[in-house]
């Protein structure tokens, strides 16, 4: 992004200098030869364009020197402008800039999205999942080269990103934090994650924030700062390794679900709005599994999950259905849930 800004600045600077030289030429000819504005404008135009129509006779030596100065100045600036434009086309930057302009248009229209801080390995896994589930997102990444390498791949050519430091309020605003639904902090620095979380909560108190942490002590600090969920990679890795040894078949089954059912298979939490037709009904009356190829694993209420709910379990407003199934059926269920009461 910075490289593109640099090229645009070069082009803008070149055009500005040409305009300045043009006006210097007009004023110079008016002073040196006493010509009126329109004659001076005409002589300046043919001088800078080097069309070769020729100068009026009996001009002073000062005017000849001034005219030569205009020619060399104009040629130099035009060559500089041509080199900048050539960089856009020959080096392929023009196509990249076109892609960035399209991305800026997408970002302009995005709402209820998630902001991913960091486009590294962890960020890439999040992007993959969001692309698969069609979840709107914007990435904030400090490293321009990292994003350039990422968008070279076809599957990432349409990703949305902002180059900058997420600790800067202006960068968070560029990522439309006021319209964002959540923030995911993937930085390996606990201090950075803590600072970004505090800044983000100040800008958007309703933001749902998830962060990683390196220790239990840092976890507590992040929770105090308003982070809603904190993940400890060492703890997850340790539990996973222990499960591989203690219950290898269980882990193998969990990992195989994604491969067996395909890329469109996944998990989801679907919140039931207050005006949903489901409110007040028993779970058995919903007949979700009969209508869609979806399994309701649990119903979440007030932060607690009721696993394998019985048929007489009554649905209340703001309950969440924890489901597993095909993404297409999950989307159908989302639309099914929000249908209002008769």
């Amino acid at each position: 992004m910075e490289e593109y800004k640099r090229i645009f600045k070069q082009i803008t600077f070149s055009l500005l200098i040409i305009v300045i030289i043009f006006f210097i030429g007009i004023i110079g000819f008016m002073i040196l030869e006493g010509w009126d504005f329109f004659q001076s404008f005409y002589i300046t135009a043919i001088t800078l364009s080097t069309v070769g129509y020729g100068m009026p006779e009996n001009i002073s030596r000062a005017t000849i020197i001034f005219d030569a100065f205009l020619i060399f100045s104009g040629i130099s600036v035009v060559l500089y402008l041509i080199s900048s434009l050539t960089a856009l086309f020959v080096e392929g930057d023009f196509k990249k800039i076109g892609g960035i302009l399209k991305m800026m248009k997408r970002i302009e229209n995005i709402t209820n999205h998630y902001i991913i801080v960091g486009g590294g390995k962890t960020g890439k896994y999040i992007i993959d999942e969001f692309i698969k589930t069609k979840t709107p997102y914007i990435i904030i990444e400090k490293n321009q080269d990292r994003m350039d390498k990422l968008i070279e791949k076809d599957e990432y050519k349409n990703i949305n990103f902002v180059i900058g430091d997420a600790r800067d309020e202006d960068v968070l605003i560029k990522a439309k934090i006021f319209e964002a639904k959540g923030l995911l902090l993937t930085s390996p620095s606990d201090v950075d994650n803590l600072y970004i979380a505090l800044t983000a909560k100040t800008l958007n108190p309703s933001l749902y924030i998830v962060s990683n942490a390196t220790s239990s002590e840092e976890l507590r600090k992040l929770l105090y700062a308003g982070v809603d969920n904190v993940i400890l990679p060492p703890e997850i890795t340790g539990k996973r390794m222990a499960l591989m040894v203690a219950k290898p078949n269980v882990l193998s089954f969990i990992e195989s679900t994604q491969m067996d059912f395909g890329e469109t298979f996944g998990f989801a939490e679907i919140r039931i709005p207050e005006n949903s037709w489901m409110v007040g009904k028993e779970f058995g009356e919903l007949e979700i599994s009969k209508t869609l190829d979806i399994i309701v694993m649990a119903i979440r209420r007030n932060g607690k999950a009721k696993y394998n709910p019985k048929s007489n379990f009554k649905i209340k407003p703001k309950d969440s259905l924890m489901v597993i199934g095909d993404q297409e059926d999950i989307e159908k269920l989302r639309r099914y849930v929000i249908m209002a009461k008769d």
Side-chain angles (χ1 to χ4, degrees), residues 10 20 56 61 117 128 132 137 147 160 162 171 176 185 200 203 205 210 218 222 224 229 248 270 279 286 295 319:
Q10 288 178 351
I20 292 173
R61 289 184 179 181
V117 177
D128 289 340
K132 185 174 67 175
Y137 65 91
M147 297 311 300
N160 304 318
V162 171
V171 174
K176 302 189 71 175
L185 304 173
L203 295 172
V210 178
E218 299 302 329
L222 287 163
Y224 291 150
N229 261 311
I270 301 176
V279 174
L286 306 182
I295 298 173
D319 282 352

Side-chain angles (χ1 to χ4, degrees), residues 91-104:
E91 297 176 13
D93 288 334
F94 188 75
K95 185 177 180 181
K96 290 181 181 178
I97 289 175
I100 287 178
L101 291 175
K102 289 181 181 177
M103 179 192 70
M104 291 171 66

Side-chain angles (χ1 to χ4, degrees), residues 37-245:
F37 176 84
F38 291 103
Q39 186 176 5
S40 299
F41 177 89
Y42 173 73
I43 297 300
T44 303
I46 64 175
T47 298
L48 292 179
S49 62
T50 65
V51 295
Y53 285 162
M55 294 287 291
E57 297 180 359
N58 302 321
I59 59 174
S60 66
R61 289 184 179 181
T63 302
I64 293 173
I65 295 172
F66 178 73
D67 193 56
F69 165 78
L70 281 182
I71 292 172
F72 287 120
S73 299
I75 290 174
S76 300
V77 176
V78 168
L79 288 175
Y80 182 76
L81 175 62
I82 290 173
S83 67
S84 300
L85 291 171
T86 302
L88 290 178
F89 291 95
V90 176
E91 297 176 13
D93 288 334
F94 188 75
K95 185 177 180 181
K96 290 181 181 178
I97 289 175
I100 287 178
L101 291 175
K102 289 181 181 177
M103 179 192 70
M104 291 171 66
K105 186 66 176 178
R106 291 197 303 269
I107 290 177
E108 186 180 325
N109 296 323
I110 201 169
T111 55
N112 289 324
H113 59 289
Y114 291 90
I115 299 173
I116 306 167
V117 177
K121 292 181 180 179
T122 304
K124 184 176 172 295
Y125 282 119
I126 297 172
I127 296 166
D128 289 340
E129 187 63 25
F130 281 177
I131 290 174
K132 185 174 67 175
T133 57
K134 297 181 180 179
T135 303
Y137 65 91
I138 296 175
I139 309 158
I140 296 178
E141 171 57 51
K142 291 189 291 186
N143 192 324
Q144 175 71 60
D145 292 337
R146 175 179 285 174
M147 297 311 300
D148 287 342
K149 290 178 181 177
L150 195 61
I151 61 177
E152 285 177 359
K153 300 177 182 178
D154 289 340
E155 62 267 36
Y156 301 118
K157 64 181 180 181
N158 291 323
I159 61 176
N160 304 318
F161 63 89
V162 171
I163 299 298
D165 192 337
R167 293 174 299 181
D168 187 344
E169 283 189 12
D170 291 336
V171 174
L172 290 172
I173 292 170
K174 285 181 182 178
K176 302 189 71 175
I177 192 167
F178 297 118
E179 293 90 357
K181 193 174 181 179
L183 178 71
L184 294 89
L185 304 173
T186 70
S187 172
S189 169
D190 292 321
V191 175
D192 285 349
N193 288 334
L194 182 63
Y195 187 89
I196 296 168
L198 287 169
T199 305
K201 277 290 186 180
T202 302
L203 295 172
N204 185 352
S206 64
L207 203 65
Y208 186 85
I209 303 179
V210 178
S211 175
N212 60 14
T214 57
S215 67
S216 298
E217 182 180 347
E218 299 302 329
L219 181 151
R220 288 193 294 271
K221 291 179 181 177
L222 287 163
L223 291 175
Y224 291 150
V227 174
D228 298 278
N229 261 311
V230 181
I231 297 171
L232 284 171
E235 180 181 337
I236 293 174
T237 302
K239 288 182 177 180
R240 186 180 179 85
M241 292 176 71
L243 194 59
M244 282 181 176
V245 176

